[in-house]
Amino acid sequence: MKELLAQGLAQLGLTPPPAAVEQMQTYAGLLLEQNKVMNVTAITDPEQVARLHFLDSAALLGCAGDLSGRTLIDVGTGAGFPGMALKLLCPELKLTLLDSLAKRLDWLAAVCSRLGLEDVETVHARAEEQGLKPGFRDHFDFAAARAVADLRVLCELCLPFVRVGGRFLAMKAAGSREELDAARTAIQTLGGRRLEDYTYTIPGTGVVRRVAIIEKTAPTPKRYPRRWAKIQKAPL
């Protein structure tokens, strides 16, 4: 796996810190072991973990740039992607992992301890509630999400976390242009503007991905995010 990761990162034009590839291999082993007792990932082949989790997440650096010293919140982090992969590649990133499942966050905290990672905060909360709280709202340089939800929903969950001048990075499939275009009103309503999408191919696969890059241009109106039932029933 180490060689696969090293080659893939090189194909993405990335030079990882000396310990990063070995840390990724250790993380992958912990992930697959944990998956035997808790559903953490649907991907169980080690090579696919390397490509579809680590390299897919690492590709975000192609549009985020140097994250050293920046703040990023990974909304609905799940097994820790993309946030943990970005942290391994940019050790000085100040990372917040937000998820609604406490057991998953407890495991991620243990992984951080095992890997010797600092400046990683785990937050057990629902995004639509946490985005209303001081210290989180209009606070982060970046928000990232790899969730499968519609972009209109993701924008309402994620943009409130981003400071004016920061960016929300929504990881999407290549064929999502229509969905992204349909989110224009939501983006404007929530204080953002869509920049040019970033597309890439995950190294070692034929999978093409698209990142919707949304810049925060104004504070999100206080009435957003709404309650989850309302967000689902009536997307902006």
Side-chain angles (χ1 to χ4, degrees), residues 60 63 73 75 140-147 150-163 165-172 187 190 193-195 211-216:
L60 270 188
C63 60
I73 183 168
V75 180
F140 294 88
D141 296 313
F142 291 93
R146 203 163 68 133
D150 184 279
L151 185 60
R152 295 173 296 171
V153 171
L154 285 178
C155 283
E156 188 163 354
L157 295 177
C158 297
L159 270 176
F161 289 109
V162 182
R163 66 169 178 81
R167 294 182 176 184
F168 167 41
L169 307 176
M171 302 176 73
K172 287 291 182 179
I187 292 168
L190 296 163
R193 73 180 179 106
R194 184 175 160 200
L195 304 180
V211 181
I213 306 172
I214 300 165
E215 183 180 41
K216 187 79 169 280

Side-chain angles (χ1 to χ4, degrees), residues 27 31 34 38-40 72-81 83-84 95-114 117 120-127 130 136:
Y27 183 10
L31 174 66
Q34 182 66 17
M38 183 174 74
N39 184 21
V40 184
L72 182 146
I73 183 168
D74 182 356
V75 180
T77 187
F81 301 101
M84 288 284 284
L95 176 64
T96 298
L97 302 171
L98 185 144
D99 202 89
S100 60
L101 188 61
K103 288 184 178 180
R104 202 149 46 199
L105 291 172
D106 290 342
W107 174 72
L108 285 170
V111 171
C112 288
S113 179
R114 173 74 178 272
L117 301 181
V120 180
E121 179 183 14
T122 58
V123 178
H124 175 222
R126 297 187 61 87
Q130 198 68 20
F136 286 84

Side-chain angles (χ1 to χ4, degrees), residues 149-157 179 182-187 189-190 224-236:
D150 184 279
L151 185 60
R152 295 173 296 171
V153 171
L154 285 178
C155 283
E156 188 163 354
L157 295 177
E179 173 195 337
R184 185 179 295 116
T185 297
I187 292 168
T189 300
L190 296 163
Y224 301 110
R226 299 166 293 169
R227 293 187 177 183
W228 176 239
K230 187 69 172 179
I231 295 173
Q232 280 189 307
K233 184 177 180 180
L236 293 173

